[in-house]
Amino acid sequence: MIALAAVAVPLDMRFVEPRWIVERHTSIDLGFSARIAVISDIHLGLFKDEGFAARVVERLNAIDVDVVLFAGDWTYEPSRPIAELVAPFAKVRHTMLSVPGNHDEQVPGPPLVQPLRDALIGVGIVPVEYTHHRLPTFTVVGLGDHWAKK
């Protein structure tokens, strides 16, 4: 049984879980009305490509939200240009704001901060790290990544 688990768990981690898109719905009383989608940790690169990104975009476009907030870790050891990997996000029909995560900040990973920022801007995603973005009923403020010591 232990031998089976020793083989099954890594196979699940490598081939099954990376393809999952987990969706949860939560209601929070913020004192104002807002429908917000928060996504993170898609880790495009070594194990996921723009096909996975297209599936995420399809799910985002199927929901009715005021804004999509991306909380980092866009990448993981990308073997292709980041602009190609994030290209499907040009089709998101919502305002999309983003801050980088530790994998986007070289903690761990290659130096991707500027190429990622350029690619995101290229598909219409607004970087909000250490700045803000006003929406009709509220303002979003972006912070830096804890693991990147920002």
Side-chain angles (χ1 to χ4, degrees):
M1 188 62 145
I2 292 174
L4 177 62
V7 171
V9 170
L11 287 174
D12 178 69
M13 289 170 48
R14 167 57 182 94
F15 295 105
V16 178
E17 286 186 32
R19 287 160 178 66
W20 289 353
I21 298 174
V22 178
E23 186 175 325
R24 293 188 181 107
H25 297 261
T26 303
S27 294
I28 302 171
D29 183 7
L30 299 172
F32 58 92
S33 177
R35 292 165 305 189
I36 302 168
V38 179
I39 63 173
S40 70
D41 297 276
I42 60 174
H43 295 281
L44 297 173
L46 187 60
F47 301 119
K48 296 178 188 167
D49 61 14
E50 65 274 10
F52 180 82
R55 289 179 43 222
V56 172
V57 168
E58 186 177 301
R59 292 283 283 276
L60 289 172
N61 285 339
I63 60 177
D64 184 26
V65 296
D66 300 315
V67 65
V68 175
L69 306 178
F70 195 94
D73 284 353
W74 282 96
T75 61
Y76 184 78
E77 300 289 332
S79 57
R80 298 196 4 245
I82 295 171
E84 290 178 20
L85 295 171
V86 301
F89 285 92
K91 295 181 180 176
V92 172
R93 65 183 184 93
H94 313 291
T95 298
M96 193 163 177
L97 310 176
S98 177
V99 294
N102 65 299
H103 285 271
D104 307 325
E105 297 273 10
Q106 215 175 330
V107 187
L112 300 170
V113 175
Q114 196 58 50
L116 176 61
R117 182 180 175 83
D118 294 344
L120 295 178
I121 291 170
V123 296
I125 297 170
V126 179
V128 293
E129 183 181 34
Y130 297 124
T131 189
H132 67 281
H133 184 84
R134 292 187 195 281
L135 295 161
T137 57
F138 60 97
T139 299
V140 174
V141 177
L143 302 174
D145 183 77
H146 172 75
W147 297 108
K149 299 189 181 352
K150 292 178 113 184

